[in-house]
Amino acid sequence: MECGKTEADKYEKVQNNLHNPILLPTFAPSINNKHSTFNYKLMKPTLLTASLIAMLMTTTACQNTRQPRDLDSVASPQGTEVFKADLDSIASHYEFPSWYTDAKFGIFIHWGVFSVPAFGSEWYPHHMYREGSSEFEHHRQTYGDQTKFGYKDFIPMFKAEQFDAEQWAALFEASGARYVIPVAEHHDGFAMYDSELNEWNAVKMGPKRDILGELKGAIEKHQLTFGLSTHRAENAWYYHEGTKFPSDVQDSTIALYGFRYEHEAYTDESSREWLERTYELIDKYQPRLIFFDWSVNNPVIKPYFTKFLAYYYNNAIDWGEGVVVNTKQGYPTNVMVWDVERGKSGRMMKLPWQTDTFVGTKSWGYIEDEVYKVPGQIVDDLVDIVSKNGNLLLNIGPRADGTIPQEQQDILLAIGDWLRVNGEAIYGSHCWKHFGEGETETPKGSFTDNQAIAYTSQDIRFTTQGNDFYAITLEWGDGDVLIKSLTPDVIGDAKILDVSMLGSTEEIRYKLTPEGLRLTFPQQKPCDFAYTFRIRFDKSVGDNLESEASDEVMGYPN
């Protein structure tokens, strides 16, 4: 028995060894179960090879030698069990780490096998099996029938031959980001790391490299914080559409395609598999942040997610590091950081929150016809988010060969240029009593940030550091700007020590009036967008005001 070899090790050999075809049972929906199951009555026989049968038997035997872990225990490997699998227990012990609340800006990376077709979006693996979709038709016209060329057949084409983790990390540092979150595994089920539980991974197939491990090393070398995202939960139903017509998804031996349940259906079996694989990521890579998509709020998964929280936070105690969990909804905001996908909170929040969005408007992964945002739009969003106690997690999508498109690099570098001038109003800053002022309406909620907002110089956002008050105007003005929030009553007996614009050496004239503090713009712009006035007081201002911060959590659209 070749227990040193796995299903993945033998995949390429089996593809080329088409001798002795035999009939195997195929995958089909069960009539008696709302979920899709393996049906061992031959419905539509699939031709496979004796070599594949032998491979599967060997793989099963080898897997049976692996010692199962105790998924019911939330104690760390060192035995730490401060956090229990109970949300009240978790809330009583958890604290948001300062590295995260001070960082304000991070980079997200959606990269994987879906970057090979580069069509539609990173959901290509799902849509290529959905009859009537543009991806379905594109796939047949470009690659052929789904029985002959399935999603798995893109894996040998995903070579990452130009991937350089050091170059990526240097770019992220230049962008001004303080943390980086690569996708460890997306819904497609292909692991970008060295997994002992998922043989469909980048070490054994495709690039044949531990992509996640290389990125962790480079990111931390550049003094950035490493985290990861895992979207494994959604894999349970992601390929279900491929069971409705002849396709390779009906081949039950291809573990890449998961449980093939109906849309957003989960079981204890799939939840335990998700939990075990998430524990593997924690144990192997010790990420400081783990990001999840929406499905972890499913009632079936929730008990397992609570165990995950306790296990992860117990491990963090051993590491001596604060950690963060991001997800969309379904959990108290005092045990994790609430995330808004492609949109923002309409209010300042009492607890930290986050926006995750893309430099483009169509996809999360690389596609050839992406329409990109302009840097000023993203900076305006960053300022608005930070003024409301949030962080911005900005996604990029590299090509399959491992290169980052120049348009994406230029956006990141432009943001970095802005942060080098204005960073003191962002990093480590705090909210004031109000997030800002102005008459321009800003969209709120998920999937609302594709269009740039036409702000004026009277649209201002506030942050503070100690006694320094930052008023960031979202557009340039040729004359004066009135900060209506800083009236004599609000300033009280505080004295203005100095007023300046970050990045400018010009003198800023100012006058306190009954209507507010009036400031003049300098003659020359110090940067390309979003301009920061720094007002230095001898004491904090606005202490007599009630904070507008809210503990509202906006729902995620169905």
Side-chain angles (χ1 to χ4, degrees):
M1 183 181 296
E2 299 178 282
C3 285
K5 295 183 180 291
T6 66
E7 174 186 352
D9 295 327
K10 304 179 183 93
Y11 173 65
E12 185 174 351
K13 177 180 178 181
V14 172
Q15 288 286 90
N16 296 325
N17 184 9
L18 299 179
H19 302 297
N20 305 319
I22 62 173
L23 294 178
L24 269 188
T26 61
F27 183 85
S30 168
I31 297 174
N32 299 318
N33 192 326
K34 71 175 183 178
H35 305 313
S36 297
T37 60
F38 292 126
N39 185 339
Y40 284 91
K41 294 181 180 179
L42 293 178
M43 297 183 66
K44 293 183 179 178
T46 302
L47 285 177
L48 292 178
T49 67
S51 299
L52 183 54
I53 293 293
M55 176 198 77
L56 291 170
M57 294 174 65
T58 300
T59 300
T60 300
C62 293
Q63 287 178 335
N64 288 339
T65 65
R66 183 182 296 124
Q67 293 297 317
R69 70 181 301 155
D70 182 4
L71 294 177
D72 294 320
S73 172
V74 297
S76 73
Q78 295 185 29
T80 301
E81 198 171 358
V82 172
F83 291 87
K84 308 297 182 182
D86 172 85
L87 292 176
D88 290 336
S89 165
I90 294 170
S92 69
H93 295 290
Y94 181 70
E95 295 181 2
F96 298 100
S98 59
W99 73 257
Y100 179 79
T101 56
D102 289 346
K104 308 302 183 186
F105 179 45
I107 297 294
F108 208 0
I109 311 168
H110 276 67
W111 188 41
V113 178
F114 47 78
S115 305
V116 175
F119 181 88
S121 75
E122 80 290 352
W123 273 63
Y124 186 94
H126 173 84
H127 293 312
M128 65 171 277
Y129 293 106
R130 189 165 61 83
E131 293 180 286
S133 71
S134 58
E135 289 85 350
F136 181 91
E137 298 303 329
H138 170 81
H139 189 85
R140 290 204 161 186
Q141 293 172 11
T142 309
Y143 303 103
D145 186 275
Q146 283 85 342
T147 59
K148 298 176 181 177
F149 193 107
Y151 183 67
K152 69 181 186 310
D153 298 298
F154 284 117
I155 294 174
M157 302 166 67
F158 179 50
K159 299 178 181 178
E161 63 271 22
Q162 297 189 54
F163 167 59
D164 186 324
E166 169 63 28
Q167 288 182 0
W168 284 24
L171 173 63
F172 303 151
E173 182 181 19
S175 77
R178 295 291 176 88
Y179 59 105
V180 184
I181 313 300
V183 172
E185 181 178 342
H186 206 251
H187 313 321
D188 64 349
F190 187 79
M192 297 288 283
Y193 63 98
D194 187 11
S195 175
E196 296 177 11
L197 303 174
N198 182 1
E199 292 172 355
W200 296 81
N201 68 65
V203 174
K204 295 182 173 68
M205 295 180 174
K208 296 187 178 178
R209 298 165 66 176
D210 183 357
I211 300 295
L212 192 67
E214 291 184 38
L215 282 170
K216 173 181 167 67
I219 289 164
E220 293 180 343
K221 176 184 173 183
H222 282 261
Q223 305 300 307
L224 305 176
T225 300
F226 167 79
L228 59 86
S229 81
T230 172
H231 309 246
R232 178 68 197 179
E234 290 78 15
N235 179 259
W237 48 264
Y238 195 61
Y239 292 101
H240 176 72
E241 294 295 312
T243 68
K244 297 178 180 180
F245 69 96
S247 79
D248 67 331
V249 174
Q250 293 186 345
D251 182 348
S252 62
T253 66
I254 302 175
L256 177 71
Y257 299 144
F259 290 93
R260 302 151 169 98
Y261 294 159
E262 293 179 2
H263 185 65
E264 296 197 29
Y266 295 96
T267 63
D268 285 328
E269 182 182 6
S270 66
S271 299
R272 291 181 73 84
E273 182 211 64
W274 168 84
L275 184 62
E276 185 174 22
R277 295 191 183 193
T278 307
Y279 281 4
E280 180 184 46
L281 285 166
I282 294 169
D283 295 345
K284 281 198 168 193
Y285 297 96
Q286 298 187 0
R288 297 300 182 261
L289 184 152
I290 304 182
F291 179 104
F292 297 94
D293 237 322
W294 78 98
S295 291
V296 293
N297 79 331
N298 183 280
V300 177
I301 299 179
K302 274 191 172 183
Y304 298 93
F305 191 81
T306 305
K307 289 180 181 180
F308 148 74
L309 287 173
Y311 181 77
Y312 185 36
Y313 293 163
N314 283 326
N315 274 268
I317 294 174
D318 296 342
W319 303 338
E321 299 280 352
V323 297
V324 173
V325 171
N326 293 148
T327 190
K328 306 295 174 63
Q329 75 292 311
Y331 296 91
T333 52
N334 58 354
V335 302
M336 58 96 207
V337 173
W338 170 52
D339 181 87
V340 185
E341 182 174 352
R342 290 184 180 269
K344 298 177 290 184
S345 170
R347 301 182 184 182
M348 181 194 300
M349 305 301 294
K350 289 181 180 179
L351 297 175
W353 63 281
Q354 178 178 272
T355 286
D356 71 306
T357 193
F358 186 39
V359 293
T361 59
K362 291 185 174 183
S363 178
W364 284 94
Y366 172 75
I367 57 173
E368 294 178 353
D369 62 343
E370 184 60 79
V371 176
Y372 290 103
K373 298 174 182 175
V374 295
Q377 175 185 353
I378 298 172
V379 167
D380 285 348
D381 283 344
L382 172 63
V383 171
D384 185 61
I385 290 163
V386 170
S387 73
K388 297 171 181 173
N389 202 28
N391 283 25
L392 172 62
L393 182 61
L394 182 65
N395 182 71
I396 62 164
R399 297 187 184 93
D401 64 4
T403 58
I404 298 173
Q406 191 62 48
E407 298 94 333
Q408 299 184 29
Q409 294 189 47
D410 291 344
I411 290 171
L412 295 188
L413 292 173
I415 295 170
D417 289 342
W418 185 87
L419 282 166
R420 274 184 285 279
V421 173
N422 299 277
E424 78 172 71
I426 300 297
Y427 303 124
S429 67
H430 300 281
C431 301
W432 191 53
K433 300 293 184 174
H434 307 308
F435 72 81
E437 60 187 46
E439 297 184 358
T440 304
E441 289 289 329
T442 300
K444 63 181 181 178
S446 302
F447 304 104
T448 60
D449 71 357
N450 267 358
Q451 298 300 317
I453 306 301
Y455 290 111
T456 73
S457 60
Q458 282 298 149
D459 292 306
I460 309 169
R461 299 295 181 263
F462 305 138
T463 63
T464 66
Q465 295 238 39
N467 297 334
D468 291 349
F469 185 98
Y470 300 93
I472 308 172
T473 64
L474 300 180
E475 186 52 82
W476 184 256
D478 292 325
D480 297 342
V481 59
L482 179 66
I483 304 177
K484 298 176 183 179
S485 297
L486 293 180
T487 62
D489 288 344
V490 172
I491 292 177
D493 61 353
K495 293 185 174 69
I496 298 175
L497 303 178
D498 178 64
V499 178
S500 61
M501 177 170 279
L502 297 185
S504 174
T505 59
E506 295 183 44
E507 180 182 357
I508 303 298
R509 290 181 285 112
Y510 63 92
K511 182 178 181 180
L512 183 60
T513 72
E515 292 77 29
L517 183 63
R518 189 171 294 279
L519 309 176
T520 60
F521 280 90
Q523 294 296 310
Q524 300 294 324
K525 295 180 179 180
C527 54
D528 292 329
F529 19 76
Y531 312 94
T532 305
F533 289 98
R534 179 181 60 199
I535 305 155
R536 286 194 155 152
F537 293 97
D538 66 342
K539 60 192 298 186
S540 62
V541 297
D543 293 344
N544 59 324
L545 299 176
E546 183 179 352
S547 173
E548 65 183 14
S550 168
D551 55 8
E552 170 200 19
V553 175
M554 298 162 62
Y556 191 81
N558 293 322

